[in-house]
Amino acid sequence: MAASKVLTGARVVLPTGIVDGGRVIVDGARISGADTAPADAETIDVTGHWLVPGFVDIHNHGGGGASFSGSADDVMTAVRTHRAHGTTTVVASTVTDDMGVLTKQAGLLSELAEQGDIAGIHYEGPFISPCRKGAHSEALLRHPDPAEVRKLIDAARGHAKMMTLATELPGGIDSVRLLAEHGVIAAIGHTDATYEQTVEAIDAGATVATHLFNAMPTLGHRAPGPITALLEDERITVELINDGVHLHPAALELAFHHAGAARVAFITDAMDAACMGDGRYLLGPLEVEVEDGVARLVEGGSIAGSTLTLDRAFQRAVTVDRLPVEDVVAALSANPARLLGMDDRIGSVEPGKDADLVLLDEQFALKGVLRRGEWVVAPQLG
């Protein structure tokens, strides 16, 4: 059992606002609501730092040279890589592949979800548009047949959290309804849909925009396309990749302005190369070249995921994009936790919730990570 701790002096970001000189008591794996700490608790003075809830990434393909499409050891390498950067909860994202490969991988990932190592599975593909395939193999794409969608849901054994699909394709709307009926998030992405087709999908039960702006038609004044429909509808949470590559700062500002902070989820869309150097990698069956930290397909040059970690997304959002800290915390923790239906346990600093905490310095650089009361990254207070 994790030792009890008292973290004192930090600027703590709570659901109700920022508290200066705050005091957070960690009793075992949980945040304690008691005013008095256990007698054996260690007191740690973190004055001059920020204390925020652990980050929740709902769209992540891997990191540390390993993929969520690989072996159990590969998956855990990727999990540990992102934990060390503050992501205390991660959904494992797959990439387009043969149905047999995907169902087999779902079985492996579901075992790790049952152990609590990952929060579930996100299927990105194969039910996406060849017109907006990005870093997915066109030869393996298929229409979203509800029977095949159900096969992937069943293969996850209750741990399918989200599926990205092009809802304008034949079978798309029926698949959205099927996903909604089974409690799986239907995410609109890698889509060539019109505005009207996107509205139809939202009405059918879609609730997430997969990496908004990327892999979808641009916004036009006569053909507003999916971006407008996704931004204007209060039922939609929009994913944003804030790495300075996928989005111009003005696009990020546009999304926050129109969707509002309560409807944004920052994601990494990270691949194997996150926290690694430049070089050649694989994303599913496709070869990727990483140069200056930017991942692109060797063939065609499409952006192929990212090398982002969520601590960098946090720091950029506050220091470059000048977003309020409370809004960034919502986008990195509270909003994705709510989407996953896990906000009773994670996503905010509140009594009774998991002791998932991230310590940041005054420049918002990561200085410590606590997951379920155990230090993943011990406090660096020097």
Side-chain angles (χ1 to χ4, degrees):
M1 184 175 178
S4 299
K5 305 167 185 65
V6 183
L7 306 177
T8 64
R11 302 188 75 185
V12 185
V13 182
L14 302 174
T16 53
I18 296 171
V19 175
D20 287 318
R23 182 170 181 261
V24 176
I25 301 173
V26 174
D27 189 0
R30 304 271 179 171
I31 298 170
S32 174
D35 292 330
T36 304
D40 61 346
E42 177 190 10
T43 298
I44 305 170
D45 186 352
V46 290
T47 300
H49 291 74
W50 291 84
L51 195 62
V52 302
F55 309 143
V56 181
D57 196 352
I58 60 172
H59 188 156
N60 185 321
H61 297 280
S67 166
F68 289 128
S69 296
S71 68
D73 286 344
D74 290 336
V75 172
M76 290 310 302
T77 293
V79 166
R80 286 189 288 268
T81 296
H82 286 280
R83 278 184 191 166
H85 290 270
T87 298
T88 51
T89 302
V90 64
V91 174
S93 300
T94 62
V95 294
T96 294
D97 213 320
D98 178 81
M99 284 292 292
V101 172
L102 290 173
T103 55
K104 182 179 179 181
Q105 190 64 18
L108 182 152
L109 291 172
S110 65
E111 291 179 9
L112 295 173
E114 287 160 10
Q115 295 171 19
D117 295 313
I118 61 172
I121 303 166
H122 163 220
Y123 294 107
E124 188 178 25
F127 310 119
I128 60 176
S129 172
C131 303
R132 306 286 174 178
K133 64 183 184 297
H136 291 256
S137 173
E138 185 168 354
L140 295 169
L141 300 182
R142 53 215 297 135
H143 289 165
D145 178 353
E148 292 194 325
V149 170
R150 178 62 188 268
K151 186 180 296 185
L152 291 179
I153 295 173
D154 291 345
R157 303 203 302 262
H159 297 289
K161 290 294 185 181
M162 184 163 68
M163 182 178 291
T164 293
L165 64 169
T167 55
E168 77 278 7
L169 295 175
I173 296 300
D174 287 340
S175 294
V176 168
R177 294 194 180 102
L178 177 67
L179 291 165
E181 287 169 6
H182 286 81
V184 180
I185 297 165
I188 300 172
H190 289 276
T191 176
D192 203 39
T194 64
Y195 173 88
E196 291 77 14
Q197 288 171 326
T198 306
V199 169
E200 183 184 9
I202 297 169
D203 287 340
T207 56
V208 165
T210 294
H211 43 54
L212 187 75
F213 299 108
N214 298 116
M216 60 182 62
T218 57
L219 193 155
H221 65 290
R222 291 194 182 93
I227 294 171
T228 303
L230 294 164
L231 280 176
E232 72 183 5
D233 199 299
E234 294 293 323
R235 294 170 289 184
I236 293 292
T237 297
V238 299
E239 294 182 349
L240 298 175
I241 308 171
N242 192 26
D243 61 353
V245 176
H246 282 78
L247 297 175
H248 189 283
L252 183 86
E253 183 180 5
L254 177 73
F256 261 91
H257 177 75
H258 285 279
R263 289 178 47 217
V264 171
F266 280 139
I267 61 165
T268 60
D269 193 16
M271 47 87 70
D272 301 31
C275 300
M276 300 290 285
D278 289 353
R280 290 279 177 107
Y281 298 86
L282 287 176
L283 182 59
L286 301 180
E287 196 169 17
V288 174
E289 180 77 34
V290 177
E291 185 175 347
D292 296 329
V294 179
R296 295 185 180 274
L297 288 182
V298 171
E299 186 176 336
S302 292
I303 293 179
S306 85
T307 60
L308 185 64
T309 52
L310 284 183
D311 59 330
R312 285 169 44 211
F314 191 119
Q315 188 174 41
R316 179 181 176 85
V318 177
T319 62
V320 176
D321 303 308
R322 302 295 179 184
L323 294 171
V325 173
E326 305 96 313
D327 290 354
V328 177
V329 168
L332 283 165
S333 304
N335 299 344
R338 185 177 62 251
L339 266 178
L340 295 175
M342 298 176 68
D343 52 326
D344 60 329
R345 286 181 39 214
I346 61 171
S348 58
V349 182
E350 293 182 271
K353 293 195 175 181
D354 288 355
D356 293 351
L357 300 167
V358 175
L359 192 67
L360 306 167
D361 67 15
E362 292 180 336
Q363 288 74 45
F364 300 96
L366 185 140
K367 293 297 178 180
V369 180
L370 196 68
R371 182 176 185 270
R372 297 181 186 173
E374 299 276 5
W375 290 112
V376 176
V377 177
Q380 302 164 36
L381 305 174

